[in-house]
């Protein structure tokens, strides 16, 4: 079927869904609360499973033009900076997983998606306040009146108003982790670094760094376990001293990065248990609104991007007046995978943040053994996620149980 769709939220998930739905012949309107569309000044990792969706949308060349494709990912000891393992990424990922692995500035990726949509498709400064199904229509209440369509999608992030309206208010869970994020001009560093991605694994925290914009910027995400809850916002500033105080005794490279940082922000890391339902009537959820997760497998946006194409495929495969069934089918197809990734990201904190020196020694010996056997080709933690190709998922209409099709045809 085709029709008209409303999307709450012009984040990476909402914009991808809009592009996928338009490709399937839908008329789409995206409602964004912020007065102007845009993303924060930080980096994001885009793994092969998500790149396949961008390729299907004709955006792979555009992605390559704005992204850095690292050759390796290095795991390093938090204190000595010694390399524990090395995972080759390019050129091998393309062959093994069907697409490359990229690092990109969020604002650049957001602009790539937004520019592929007609300008009149996105309405900024419109906040969605509630959602309901009325007969054959999905209705989004907004601060400037109700909007109606055949289906509506809540892509409005972890604090989704659409989710709260459908299933009741419920706060996400503070996971005990705070992420400090900042970018650094590599020319200001005392350390010479390979043009690769790095992850220093420490007690009660880790520090990930990778290059953006042709190597002109280093993106740093420094995660630190704490008991105190902080307000969740990408724009809460953090002082250099606050970051340094969270990483005492860490390798000179980490101190160098903190000293060279210009503007630092902090973000409390929240997630949810997998939701029981995402859809009600003609309305469904997508991205962080449906399955917020810890960033420890770097998959939150990738899952939102996958959601968009599967949702569009399910709607395209549905017959007239089957919108509700299509949304239920989308949810049934997506939930097992996103739940597994959500829980996998939670579990990964345990091996990345080991407090006991003995546990770290045992883990590091495992890496050393792996290096010996695999000759420096340690597997990437997310490899089980990358081979998946969501591009055709949901395209085929569901096959009716045996006999049912015959009966239906007979009745008609
Ligand atoms: C430190 C950190 C690092 C990460 N790194 C990665 C990574 O490397 N790779 C990866 O794949 N993921 C990563 N993620 C996860 C990723 O950022 C999120 O999963 C992703 O941005 C979710 O996209 P979304 O479109 O679902 O939601 P959001 O990006 O939250 O977008 C929601 C949009 O909806 C708008 N909105 C909110 N409420 C309303 C309303 N009521 N009405 C209208 N509009 C509204 C917001 O303004 C926003 O534009 C990371 C997350 C963190 C915290």
């Amino acid at each position: 079927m085709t029709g008209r769709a409303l999307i709450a939220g012009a984040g990476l998930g909402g914009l991808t869904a809009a592009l996928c739905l338009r490709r399937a012949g839908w008329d789409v309107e995206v409602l964004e609360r912020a007065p102007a569309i845009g993303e924060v000044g930080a980096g994001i990792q885009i793994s092969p499973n998500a790149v396949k969706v961008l390729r299907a949308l004709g955006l792979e060349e555009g992605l390559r033009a704005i992204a850095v494709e690292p050759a390796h990912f290095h795991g390093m000891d938090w204190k000595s900076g010694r390399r524990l393992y090395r995972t080759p990424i390019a050129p091998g990922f393309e062959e093994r997983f069907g697409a490359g692995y990229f690092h990109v500035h969020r604002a650049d990726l957001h602009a790539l998606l937004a520019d592929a949509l007609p300008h009149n498709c996105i309405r900024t400064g419109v906040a969605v306040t509630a959602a309901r199904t009325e007969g054959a229509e999905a209705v989004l209440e907004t601060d400037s009146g109700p909007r109606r369509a055949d289906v509506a999608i809540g892509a409005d992030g972890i604090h989704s108003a659409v989710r709260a309206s459908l299933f009741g208010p419920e706060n996400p869970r503070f996971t005990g982790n705070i992420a400090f994020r900042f970018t650094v001009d590599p020319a200001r560093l005392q350390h010479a670094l390979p043009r690769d991605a790095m992850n220093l694994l420490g007690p009660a925290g880790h520090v990930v760094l990778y290059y953006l914009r042709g190597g002109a910027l280093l993106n740093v995400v420094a995660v630190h376990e704490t008991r105190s809850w902080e307000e969740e916002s990408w724009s809460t500033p953090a002082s250099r001293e606050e970051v340094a105080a969270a990483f005492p005794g860490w390798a000179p490279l980490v101190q160098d990065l903190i000293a060279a940082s210009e503007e630092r922000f902090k973000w409390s890391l929240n997630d949810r248990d997998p939701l029981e339902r995402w859809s009600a009537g003609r309305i469904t959820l997508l991205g962080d609104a449906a399955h917020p997760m810890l960033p420890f497998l770097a998959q939150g946006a990738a899952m939102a991007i996958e959601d968009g194409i599967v949702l569009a495929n399910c709607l395209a495969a549905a017959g007239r007046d089957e919108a509700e069934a299509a949304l239920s089918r989308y949810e049934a197809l997506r939930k097992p995978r996103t739940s597994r990734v959500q829980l996998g990201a939670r579990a990964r904190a345990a091996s990345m943040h080991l407090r006991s020196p003995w546990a770290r020694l045992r883990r590091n010996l495992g890496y050393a053994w792996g290096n010996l056997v695999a000759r420096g080709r340690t597997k990437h933690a997310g490899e089980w996620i990358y081979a998946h190709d969501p591009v055709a998922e949901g395209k085929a209409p569901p096959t009716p149980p045996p006999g049912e099709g015959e009966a239906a045809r007979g009745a008609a």
Side-chain angles (χ1 to χ4, degrees):
M1 70 177 282
T2 55
R4 184 175 139 72
L6 285 170
I7 299 177
L12 297 173
L15 293 183
T16 308
L19 287 164
C20 295
L21 282 165
R22 280 183 53 81
R23 177 172 165 264
W26 282 69
D27 172 26
V28 183
E29 187 179 30
V30 186
L31 309 174
E32 168 56 47
R33 181 176 59 182
I37 68 159
E39 259 282 359
V40 293
I44 192 158
Q45 314 189 47
I46 298 296
S47 54
N49 44 316
V51 174
K52 289 170 205 167
V53 178
L54 300 178
R55 178 184 293 160
L57 293 171
L59 298 176
E60 188 181 7
E61 282 315 303
L63 173 70
R64 284 180 179 275
I66 55 173
V68 170
E69 189 176 18
H72 296 98
F73 211 106
H74 303 264
M76 292 148 79
D77 180 69
W78 69 285
K79 195 169 187 180
S80 64
R82 193 171 47 85
R83 194 168 78 200
L84 301 172
Y85 64 83
R86 190 178 74 158
T87 303
I89 296 180
F93 266 34
E94 183 81 43
E95 198 180 307
R96 291 174 62 204
F97 303 118
Y101 193 104
F102 298 96
H103 294 144
V104 61
H105 198 289
R106 282 172 183 261
D108 298 347
L109 178 59
H110 199 263
L112 179 74
L113 297 171
D115 290 349
L117 285 167
H119 286 303
N120 60 4
C121 179
I122 307 173
R123 300 251 180 280
T124 52
V126 180
V128 173
T129 51
R132 65 176 184 280
T133 297
E134 251 179 40
E137 279 187 328
V139 184
L140 291 186
E141 287 295 343
T142 76
D143 54 0
S144 56
R147 298 282 222 280
R148 293 167 187 277
D150 298 294
V151 295
I153 297 137
D156 49 347
I158 189 165
H159 299 292
S160 170
V162 175
R163 197 201 67 81
S165 177
L166 296 182
F167 304 115
E170 189 205 322
N171 283 331
R173 188 183 70 105
F174 175 54
T175 61
N177 292 275
I178 289 195
F180 295 102
R181 62 166 189 85
F182 47 92
T183 50
V184 171
D185 174 357
R188 297 188 57 192
L189 287 178
Q190 287 169 11
H191 286 76
L193 296 173
R195 231 185 89 172
D196 277 338
M198 285 150 265
N199 189 2
L200 290 103
L201 305 172
H206 70 277
V207 177
V208 179
L209 44 147
Y210 52 83
Y211 285 92
L212 303 174
R213 293 191 169 152
L217 270 187
L218 251 177
N219 184 71
V220 184
V221 179
V223 176
H224 153 68
E225 286 181 12
T226 169
R227 283 176 200 277
S228 62
W229 187 89
E230 302 273 342
E231 192 192 338
E232 187 175 43
S233 155
W234 280 103
S235 53
T236 307
S239 68
R240 197 173 274 125
E241 293 68 35
E242 186 181 355
V243 185
F247 295 91
W250 282 58
L253 168 60
V254 174
Q255 312 308 331
D256 194 7
L257 289 165
I258 298 170
S261 65
E262 270 166 30
E263 247 190 327
R264 295 144 304 271
F265 299 93
K266 60 183 173 184
W267 173 271
S268 72
L269 296 179
N270 294 341
D271 73 356
R272 286 184 199 284
D273 288 331
L275 289 177
E276 242 171 68
R277 294 172 62 202
W278 299 359
S279 313
R282 289 176 168 258
I283 303 162
T284 195
L285 303 173
L286 171 152
D288 275 9
H291 43 68
M293 58 184 71
L294 279 167
F296 300 165
L297 287 168
Q299 283 297 313
M303 288 299 116
I305 290 170
E306 286 190 7
D307 287 345
I309 202 148
V310 179
L311 174 61
N313 288 344
C314 288
L315 283 166
R320 269 177 73 85
D321 304 325
E322 286 180 353
E324 296 194 17
L327 299 188
S328 302
R329 187 161 163 257
Y330 150 74
E331 177 183 322
L333 284 172
R334 291 299 295 153
K335 226 163 54 169
R337 178 164 166 83
T338 57
S339 303
R340 195 172 162 215
V341 178
Q342 251 176 313
L343 299 175
R346 237 185 232 178
R348 189 146 193 250
S351 71
M352 285 170 90
H353 293 184
L354 293 172
R355 284 172 188 262
S356 147
W358 301 113
R360 285 200 302 278
L361 180 66
R362 201 170 57 208
R363 179 200 61 198
N364 294 351
L365 285 172
Y367 285 139
W369 173 247
N371 281 338
L372 219 61
V373 176
R375 278 178 282 154
R377 300 173 67 86
T378 304
K379 281 190 171 180
H380 199 281
E383 292 203 356
W384 60 275
I385 302 167
Y386 305 153
H388 184 72
D389 186 349
V391 171
E393 203 180 345
K395 260 190 179 167
T399 359
E404 212 170 88
E406 294 303 323
R409 270 197 291 280

